Amino acid sequence: MLNTNDILESIRMISDENLDVRTVTMGISLLDCADPDPKKACEKIYNKITTKAKDLVSTAEKISATYGIPIVNKRISVTPIAMLLGCAENPDPVEYAIALDRAAKAVGVNFIGGFSALVHKGFSAGDRALIEAIPEALAKTDFVCSSINIGSTKSGINMDAVKLMGEIVRKTAEATADNQCMGAAKLVVFCNAPEDNPFMAGAFHGPGEPDCVIHVGVSGPGAVRAALAKNAKGLATDEVAELIKRTAFKITRMGQLVGNLVSKELGIPFGIVDLSLAPTPAIGDSVANILEEIGLDTCGGCGTTAALAMLNDAVKKGGVMASNHVGGLSGAFIPVSEDDGMIKAAECGCLTLEKLEAMTAVCSVGIDMVVVPGDTPAAVISGLIADEAAIGMVNSKTTAVRVIPAIGKTVGDTLDFGGLLGYGPVMPINMTSPQVFIDRGGRIPAPMQALKN
Amino acid sequence: MKAVITVIGKDRVGILARVSGACAEHNVNVLEVTQNILQGLFSMIMVVDVTNADMEIDQLASVFGKLGEELGMDIRFTRTELYEAMHHI
């Protein structure tokens, strides 16, 4: 039985509050594309992706038009390319990235993730070559995204990889210095990376996944903020949480519906819904604005971490009930350059890198889309990666670092990436050197999982 | 198969006539109509049967979207599943 108010509420959430399905991501295994001849491997990669995903964009667009649901991004994630490099003779990883980019352009998706390596316990054949090729690969391609997993709760943190990634993040920014250092915006360093993440830049198709699968990432900070603005006045915090849960349920049901429809239409199994609040630079579509609606003067002030913890938990509780399988990153995202409220809070100095780090302990992902001064040494970036990974490792959660050293710029300047990646002010970072710690290398042992305190 | 047409915007003469006329033109059968005007904002919801329509729903969505632009209103033509999914357990 259709209810007029329900219909109008859905329309309002979509048209006025920026509710959308943020991404439909097709995960494709490339394990069967491995070949000792790198040229043949690249050809197999291109052919498999363009065959499996040939109807992805048109199908998603048809469903979007038929059901009146905006689907913003259509994307592809693939098996970590380092796994394919291992068996090839003298492969050039950049050629693999170019094959991915060509395939992405041929099928019309706007990002392809999986120029990745999983090195949380050490480097195997292909891993180091892939990592060293990241700066060139991301400079020479448009749509390829890269992610490296350098730690996990079960294995600890690979400090050799942490050291290497600090250098690689810098080199990637330098290689794209004439293009807003864009390369670094397509590179993320993970601890506890999920294998079924539909969101970029960290999406890759884990080795435990089926041959081909559809994942969906939902959005909706604007809808949550609007629900709070309208109904939360005078409510106790647990009642606010309940309101967020109810809104998250509705948002996630939309994602579940789209996933089912795309999966059925393409004949490909439906994987997971990523229960996320993914902001955009559009005014009002902001996680920071939700925190401010809950009662903070400005995001980044005292109380931010607690409000975010409640928000993150309520989103998950509402979303879990609405979907069959939940996965990916699932939680509130806090990418600074992609969130209008975060940008403003960073610009006025209320939101600092240290506060962001605290926030990552209670919400999805980590230090995300943060622009740091161009002269930030690689060791400092490595230190930041190690800190963030430690939070993820100890708390058994995913954390990540996606920082963009603004080459030639300093605090007070901005980088403008355009589109959903938004723009960000250069934020101050503590420049005292962790060089000796970073140079030690080795591994941080896996943490105790009992005697928690 | 059922679909929903929603029309939201400033009230004016002939909205119902134009929208139902477009339905007839494309062999879309109107089953239910609810409309109200709140503070000058007109909203109408039509439940329609598209079983014998002369085009697919995504094409109808485009036709009615253009009609909305012509009338200066937000007109959406969608299948019903979204509303059921979002508001019913």
Side-chain angles (χ1 to χ4, degrees):
Chain A
M1 181 68 188
L2 291 166
N3 176 303
T4 309
N5 289 334
D6 291 347
I7 293 172
L8 290 175
E9 185 189 2
S10 298
I11 300 272
R12 194 190 59 244
M13 287 167 85
I14 290 168
S15 63
D16 298 345
E17 296 160 9
N18 301 309
L19 175 61
D20 54 50
V21 167
R22 182 52 47 83
T23 181
V24 171
T25 303
M26 178 181 278
I28 303 172
S29 169
L30 297 181
L31 289 171
D32 53 354
C33 300
D35 197 291
D37 179 351
K39 271 199 175 145
K40 277 191 189 158
C42 290
E43 200 179 308
K44 286 184 189 172
I45 288 170
Y46 179 85
N47 290 340
K48 181 155 188 188
I49 294 170
T50 50
T51 305
K52 290 282 180 190
K54 69 179 188 318
D55 296 325
L56 173 65
V57 173
S58 58
T59 302
E61 282 173 358
K62 191 173 170 67
I63 287 167
S64 173
T66 304
Y67 293 85
I69 303 168
I71 301 174
V72 179
N73 298 304
K74 279 69 74 175
R75 293 170 169 174
I76 293 170
S77 62
V78 297
T79 305
I81 291 296
M83 290 184 177
L84 279 70
L85 295 176
C87 79
E89 288 160 15
N90 298 319
D92 177 3
V94 177
E95 290 300 319
Y96 287 68
I98 290 170
L100 293 177
D101 203 45
R102 276 178 48 230
K105 286 171 181 166
V107 298
V109 295
N110 67 350
F111 273 129
I112 183 164
F115 195 74
S116 307
L118 311 177
V119 296
H120 37 280
K121 222 166 173 181
F123 300 95
S124 62
D127 288 339
R128 202 179 276 272
L130 180 128
I131 292 174
E132 280 166 359
I134 288 172
E136 187 184 347
L138 296 187
K140 284 192 171 166
T141 56
D142 296 314
F143 297 154
V144 174
C145 290
S146 179
S147 53
I148 306 295
N149 192 58
I150 52 89
S152 76
T153 301
K154 286 211 182 296
S155 61
I157 299 172
N158 178 351
M159 291 300 287
D160 292 321
V162 166
K163 177 170 193 251
L164 186 56
M165 286 315 297
E167 293 159 8
I168 293 294
V169 167
R170 260 206 75 83
K171 285 182 188 165
T172 305
E174 283 165 3
T176 48
D178 56 352
N179 182 26
Q180 303 291 310
C181 308
M182 182 62 97
K186 297 185 287 180
L187 170 60
V188 55
V189 187
F190 272 120
C191 177
N192 289 323
E195 298 196 0
D196 51 7
N197 166 23
F199 284 102
M200 296 297 169
F204 66 86
H205 187 74
E209 293 285 302
D211 188 55
C212 192
V213 69
I214 294 290
H215 301 309
V216 168
V218 296
S219 179
V224 173
R225 190 201 56 78
L228 294 179
K230 206 177 303 162
N231 304 307
K233 202 174 175 201
L235 294 186
T237 309
D238 45 354
E239 293 168 320
V240 173
E242 180 65 23
L243 194 55
I244 295 167
K245 269 163 60 183
R246 287 173 182 275
T247 313
F249 174 85
K250 291 173 190 171
I251 294 168
T252 312
R253 287 286 272 200
M254 189 168 90
Q256 175 75 27
L257 174 67
V258 166
N260 282 337
L261 292 167
V262 175
S263 155
K264 194 175 163 198
E265 192 73 24
L266 292 175
I268 290 168
F270 183 19
I272 57 93
V273 179
D274 191 317
L275 312 175
S276 292
L277 284 183
T280 69
I283 291 167
D285 201 22
S286 153
V287 170
N289 288 164
I290 298 176
L291 301 176
E292 287 158 8
E293 201 64 59
I294 290 171
L296 303 174
D297 194 14
T298 306
C299 174
C302 293
T304 301
T305 311
L308 181 59
M310 182 271 279
L311 170 67
N312 197 56
D313 182 66
V315 166
K316 287 183 201 169
K317 284 173 177 163
V320 161
M321 175 75 182
S323 46
N324 293 350
H325 298 284
V326 175
L329 299 167
S330 283
F333 292 174
I334 50 170
V336 174
S337 76
E338 300 175 12
D339 184 310
D340 181 56
M342 297 270 176
I343 294 168
K344 289 197 171 86
E347 279 173 340
C348 74
C350 293
L351 183 62
T352 61
L353 209 50
E354 288 73 15
K355 190 63 182 180
L356 275 169
E357 187 178 316
M359 290 161 74
T360 65
V362 299
C363 81
S364 187
V365 202
I367 303 285
D368 194 15
M369 289 306 284
V370 169
V371 183
V372 295
D375 60 353
T376 309
V380 171
I381 298 172
S382 292
L384 182 66
I385 292 170
D387 284 346
E388 205 44 43
I391 290 172
M393 173 182 76
V394 170
N395 294 303
S396 304
K397 73 181 287 293
T398 303
T399 48
V401 170
R402 183 167 47 154
V403 292
I404 303 101
I407 305 302
K409 299 195 175 195
T410 189
V411 176
D413 297 330
T414 57
L415 279 185
D416 190 348
F417 309 106
L420 285 176
L421 294 174
Y423 70 97
V426 178
M427 294 174 72
I429 183 168
N430 186 331
M431 292 279 196
T432 53
S433 179
Q435 191 76 53
V436 175
F437 172 50
I438 297 301
D439 283 346
R440 287 179 190 278
R443 279 166 54 201
I444 294 181
M448 290 283 290
Q449 289 301 298
L451 307 176
K452 284 241 175 196
N453 248 323
Chain B
M1 189 202 305
K2 284 185 186 176
V4 171
I5 305 172
T6 57
V7 184
I8 301 169
K10 196 165 180 294
D11 193 20
R12 55 173 281 180
V13 173
I15 301 170
L16 182 56
R18 290 295 299 275
V19 177
S20 53
C23 288
E25 196 181 315
H26 295 288
N27 212 26
V28 170
N29 187 28
V30 178
L31 301 174
E32 285 175 47
V33 182
T34 352
Q35 69 170 64
N36 62 48
I37 298 164
L38 201 63
Q39 295 174 336
L41 191 72
F42 174 92
S43 70
M44 178 171 76
I45 293 168
M46 287 178 142
V47 180
V48 296
D49 184 354
V50 291
T51 312
N52 299 314
D54 63 359
M55 50 175 69
E56 299 272 323
I57 294 188
D58 57 330
Q59 294 165 310
L60 286 166
S62 168
V63 167
F64 280 77
K66 280 181 192 140
L67 176 62
E69 283 171 26
E70 198 187 307
L71 294 172
M73 310 195 76
D74 177 21
I75 303 187
R76 291 162 193 257
F77 196 119
T78 62
R79 285 182 57 152
T80 57
E81 284 87 339
L82 173 65
Y83 311 116
E84 285 156 3
M86 282 178 78
H87 301 282
H88 298 265
I89 294 177

